Amino acid sequence: MKRTAVNCMYMFKYLLRHCKAYVFFSFAIAALASVNSILSIYFIRIALNVATSKNSLSELLFFVALQASILILFSGLNSIYQGKISPISQQCFQCQMHYELFEKAASLELKKYDDPEFYNKYILALNNSDSRALSILDTFTTLLNSLFTISGLIAIISTLDKIIFLFVIFSVAISISLNMLLSKISYSLNLKLTPIHRGMSYIQRIYYLRNYAQELRLTNISSSLKKMFLSFNNSGIDQLRTTGVKKIVIYFLQSFVQIIYASGIMLYLAYQLFRGIIAAGDFAALLNSANQLSAALKNLFQAGPKLYEHSLYIENFREFISYEEASVRGNQHFTNFSSLDLKDITFSYDFRRKIVFDNFSLSVPRGSKIALVGANGAGKSTLVKIIAGLYSPQKGQVLINNLNVLNFDHVDIINNIGIIFQDYQIYALPLIENILLRPVSNKEQDEKAVVQALQRVGLYDKISKLPNGIYTNMTRELDPEGALFSGGELQRIVLARVLVQHYELLILDEPSSALDAISEAEIFKTIFEEYADRTVIIISHRLANIRNVDQIYYLQDGQIVEAGTHEELMQTNGMYARLYQAKL
């Protein structure tokens, strides 16, 4: 209960911080609705009693005027709320919440995406937190409305017939128990459906992403994907079917209890009316009051289970947003790069037992050009991700200028260490932002740098002929007029990124696999000229491009088994020499 209160108040304060007007209008409308429902009962009672000469006409007219005034105020506030406050506030709030989730997700170590439990929590937070936060406000306003209504109805019933309370208590007690059970079943179902929906979303994504279009049409992989999709769907149906039986029983019991309650209270009040114990106005007032009190009490007591259910989702959001990495970045600024050292690195993926690196060490001084080669699975790309800080080693340190890389400000790191991965990404953004990898800040300066980079990779002539030039949107996923490029052209665009940003340390992981041999040689020549006095680490299966680097390291099973220049390694006639001969 305490955890539920903490989670709900956390999200209520979060909502209040971003949407004050939305909260105020929600509460004001709930209070006015409650007052109006109570006045309606009084009006019916007085109207019927006026007809039987038990009340004066002036009293009836007073209540008509009072209720009309409240209805006018209610209608005015509700019109503003429904037409402007609610839609705009909800849109802004959802944007704010997702923005924070995106920021947190972008700051997490990559290993968190390899943890299914953590990833599922992220998906739950992303898909449910905003709707649950808004539902918390709805529950709070319902709570306020119920409390106002209950107070007024108790006052009415207490003056007319206290026996009615027994009927109400019977109905509410059973209804609360059934609703608590229903909330637990719903939450349990959602947990089980999350990985199923994630699997189905993955397959849906494949069918609308251009990257997969060719293989989907030229192979039979679509059959496997559709089979998997149906398997996920059937698993979801099994879960819904199992839960559905339980829900049917609960829904039937709820209806049955309501029928017993309604029938019992009508028979009791009819008996009172026929015996002359109560007047016609009192009969109507008690019947309406009893029904409204029952509904209000149910809403009141259902608020607990509802808040508990909301709390479970909000807790995912809180845990995700408040998660702190074991290794926290420092605030030391990155200045002149002098060396990169990997000291006694031990690393393994959480979901694998195999150790990728065991006491691995490597030193890279400023200005050097080195290459990491080896068979697939040797650990080359993993090593790059450790240097980049995407993964933290279980033991050992990554040092820059003899200081742990974690001591440096994260922004300084990404501004000074550039990496092109073999699985690089292109975004549905203007081409200039795809190259800058940030929004345009200094228009004239940024445009000049991007144009020069495109000229150096041989793409500017084509791009300058596009309708919007370097501001043309990439891909047609969001823009039907977006530009499409071949694999080689995309790789040139990605390589232009390292010519725009003058990194102190550049890491290239298979940077030119889609280029022909001549284009590849030209690109490498351009990069080596641009980074002549800076540090470059290259991973490449095309060994002809790394012949002139200062040092080549051959990796096998996470260890350096050979090191030297191209000529030195060819003379030893070892693994590198055999690999080089095989590539010719």
Side-chain angles (χ1 to χ4, degrees):
M1 188 65 185
K2 182 179 178 181
R3 187 176 67 176
T4 298
V6 169
N7 287 333
C8 291
M9 287 308 299
Y10 165 85
M11 189 50 67
F12 179 73
K13 290 177 182 177
Y14 185 94
L15 187 61
L16 187 61
R17 187 164 64 249
H18 297 291
C19 308
K20 289 185 176 65
Y22 182 53
V23 174
F24 169 77
F25 271 80
S26 297
F27 282 162
I29 289 169
L32 288 173
S34 174
V35 171
N36 183 59
S37 66
I38 294 169
L39 289 178
S40 296
I41 294 173
Y42 272 111
F43 173 76
I44 293 172
R45 178 173 179 256
I46 293 170
L48 288 173
N49 287 341
V50 165
T52 58
S53 301
K54 288 185 177 291
N55 286 94
S56 66
L57 183 60
S58 60
E59 189 175 354
L60 177 65
L61 294 175
F62 170 78
F63 266 90
V64 170
L66 178 61
Q67 190 167 15
S69 301
I70 291 174
L71 280 172
I72 291 171
L73 179 59
F74 175 83
S75 298
L77 289 176
N78 194 49
S79 297
I80 298 171
Y81 177 79
Q82 297 292 344
K84 182 179 178 181
I85 299 295
S86 178
I88 293 176
S89 296
Q90 289 188 29
Q91 180 68 32
C92 292
F93 178 74
Q94 290 168 343
C95 176
Q96 174 65 32
M97 183 170 272
H98 281 84
Y99 190 87
E100 290 191 22
L101 285 168
F102 296 157
E103 281 197 321
K104 173 56 71 171
S107 70
L108 295 176
E109 286 189 346
L110 205 59
K111 66 182 180 182
K112 284 300 176 184
Y113 285 84
D114 303 326
D115 179 353
E117 182 179 351
F118 188 89
Y119 192 75
N120 284 339
K121 280 192 173 185
Y122 173 46
I123 295 298
L124 277 172
L126 194 62
N127 291 342
N128 295 283
S129 296
D130 54 351
S131 61
R132 292 291 171 172
L134 296 171
S135 295
I136 283 177
L137 180 59
D138 288 341
T139 304
F140 279 170
T141 55
T142 301
L143 198 61
L144 178 67
N145 178 277
S146 298
L147 289 171
F148 270 62
T149 303
I150 289 167
S151 300
L153 294 174
I154 288 175
I156 295 173
I157 295 172
S158 297
T159 60
L160 298 176
D161 192 333
K162 295 183 177 64
I163 300 293
I164 297 298
F165 289 128
L166 296 177
F167 289 93
V168 173
I169 291 169
F170 164 78
S171 171
V172 170
I174 296 178
S175 179
I176 291 168
S177 301
L178 292 174
N179 276 298
M180 288 185 68
L181 184 58
L182 194 60
S183 294
K184 290 180 180 179
I185 291 172
S186 297
Y187 179 72
S188 176
L189 174 65
N190 207 343
L191 285 180
K192 292 173 182 176
L193 289 178
T194 293
I196 293 172
H197 289 161
R198 183 153 60 90
M200 295 178 77
S201 296
Y202 165 74
I203 296 168
Q204 289 169 343
R205 190 168 69 251
I206 284 175
Y207 276 91
Y208 71 71
L209 286 179
R210 188 172 182 270
N211 297 359
Y212 298 94
Q214 294 178 166
E215 288 186 355
L216 285 174
R217 287 154 179 76
L218 298 176
T219 70
N220 289 319
I221 191 64
S222 184
S223 299
S224 297
L225 290 169
K226 287 186 288 187
K227 181 180 177 182
M228 182 186 292
F229 188 81
L230 290 174
S231 176
F232 279 124
N233 181 63
N234 291 336
S235 297
I237 289 173
D238 289 341
Q239 294 293 341
L240 290 169
R241 185 177 288 117
T242 302
T243 306
V245 174
K246 299 176 182 177
K247 286 186 173 182
I248 288 171
V249 174
I250 293 173
Y251 292 148
F252 175 78
L253 288 173
Q254 285 178 323
S255 300
F256 182 74
V257 169
Q258 186 59 33
I259 291 169
I260 295 296
Y261 165 75
S263 301
I265 203 164
M266 282 191 292
L267 287 172
Y268 172 75
L269 288 175
Y271 174 78
Q272 297 285 82
L273 178 64
F274 294 147
R275 290 288 303 273
I277 299 173
I278 58 175
D282 296 341
F283 170 84
L286 281 169
L287 185 60
N288 282 327
S289 295
N291 288 331
Q292 286 198 33
L293 180 60
S294 174
L297 284 170
K298 286 175 186 176
N299 288 334
L300 178 66
F301 290 110
Q302 283 173 8
K306 283 182 180 178
L307 290 174
Y308 171 73
E309 185 178 340
H310 300 330
S311 167
L312 296 173
Y313 294 96
I314 298 306
E315 189 160 359
N316 286 328
F317 177 80
R318 287 189 67 194
E319 285 183 13
F320 189 82
I321 289 294
S322 62
Y323 176 80
E324 296 290 344
E325 298 283 3
S327 50
V328 181
R329 291 279 184 186
N331 55 10
Q332 188 162 337
H333 290 293
F334 194 105
T335 53
N336 295 326
F337 174 83
S338 61
S339 65
L340 166 70
D341 293 283
L342 282 73
K343 292 266 182 94
D344 302 321
I345 297 295
T346 296
F347 176 80
S348 66
Y349 292 101
D350 292 341
F351 57 91
R352 297 179 184 174
R353 293 182 180 178
K354 180 183 175 182
I355 294 179
V356 182
F357 293 103
D358 188 13
N359 291 318
F360 180 91
S361 295
L362 177 66
S363 182
V364 185
R366 176 180 174 81
S368 61
K369 312 292 185 289
I370 72 165
L372 304 175
V373 301
N376 290 333
K380 305 183 297 295
S381 293
T382 300
L383 190 62
V384 169
K385 291 172 184 175
I386 291 173
I387 294 172
L390 295 176
Y391 288 111
S392 293
Q394 280 82 34
K395 294 181 181 178
Q397 296 183 88
V398 177
L399 304 176
I400 291 180
N401 298 351
N402 294 318
L403 292 174
N404 193 309
V405 68
L406 297 175
N407 291 345
F408 294 104
D409 179 76
H410 180 63
V411 174
D412 280 7
I413 289 292
I414 63 175
N415 285 338
N416 287 281
I417 299 180
I419 303 175
I420 293 181
F421 293 105
Q422 55 184 316
D423 53 349
Y424 60 84
Q425 299 298 322
I426 297 294
Y427 304 93
L429 292 167
L431 186 142
I432 187 172
E433 293 186 21
N434 266 281
I435 294 176
L436 293 171
L437 292 176
R438 58 170 173 80
V440 175
S441 54
N442 185 317
K443 191 172 186 293
E444 182 179 352
Q445 183 176 315
D446 287 344
E447 287 178 356
K448 180 179 178 181
V450 168
V451 167
Q452 289 177 345
L454 289 170
Q455 288 172 336
R456 298 192 71 177
V457 297
L459 267 185
Y460 182 67
D461 287 344
K462 175 177 179 174
I463 290 169
S464 64
K465 296 174 184 176
L466 295 173
N468 296 312
I470 59 176
Y471 286 93
T472 301
N473 285 325
M474 300 284 288
T475 81
R476 291 182 182 168
E477 187 167 351
L478 301 179
D479 182 359
E481 303 300 322
L484 299 177
F485 296 91
S486 68
E489 288 171 334
L490 289 175
Q491 205 151 45
R492 288 173 182 267
I493 289 172
V494 172
L495 288 166
R497 292 171 176 173
V498 306
L499 301 178
V500 166
Q501 183 76 27
H502 302 292
Y503 297 108
E504 290 289 323
L505 170 62
L506 176 63
I507 304 174
L508 305 172
D509 186 358
E510 296 292 346
S512 54
S513 57
L515 299 177
D516 59 77
I518 295 176
S519 298
E520 183 182 37
E522 291 174 353
I523 293 295
F524 267 93
K525 181 174 180 293
T526 300
I527 289 175
F528 282 138
E529 287 174 354
E530 183 70 24
Y531 283 82
D533 60 342
R534 279 166 285 169
T535 311
V536 180
I537 300 174
I538 302 171
I539 296 174
S540 178
H541 285 96
R542 294 189 184 179
L543 304 186
N545 295 312
I546 62 171
R547 289 183 56 176
N548 297 322
V549 300
D550 302 320
Q551 196 81 344
I552 298 170
Y553 297 95
Y554 191 97
L555 271 63
Q556 184 177 38
D557 296 328
Q559 296 292 332
I560 297 173
V561 294
E562 291 182 8
T565 64
H566 171 76
E567 289 75 15
E568 290 170 347
L569 293 175
M570 291 301 293
Q571 289 176 6
T572 60
N573 199 31
M575 293 180 179
Y576 173 82
R578 290 194 292 274
L579 182 63
Y580 185 83
Q581 293 297 332
K583 295 290 182 180
L584 294 179

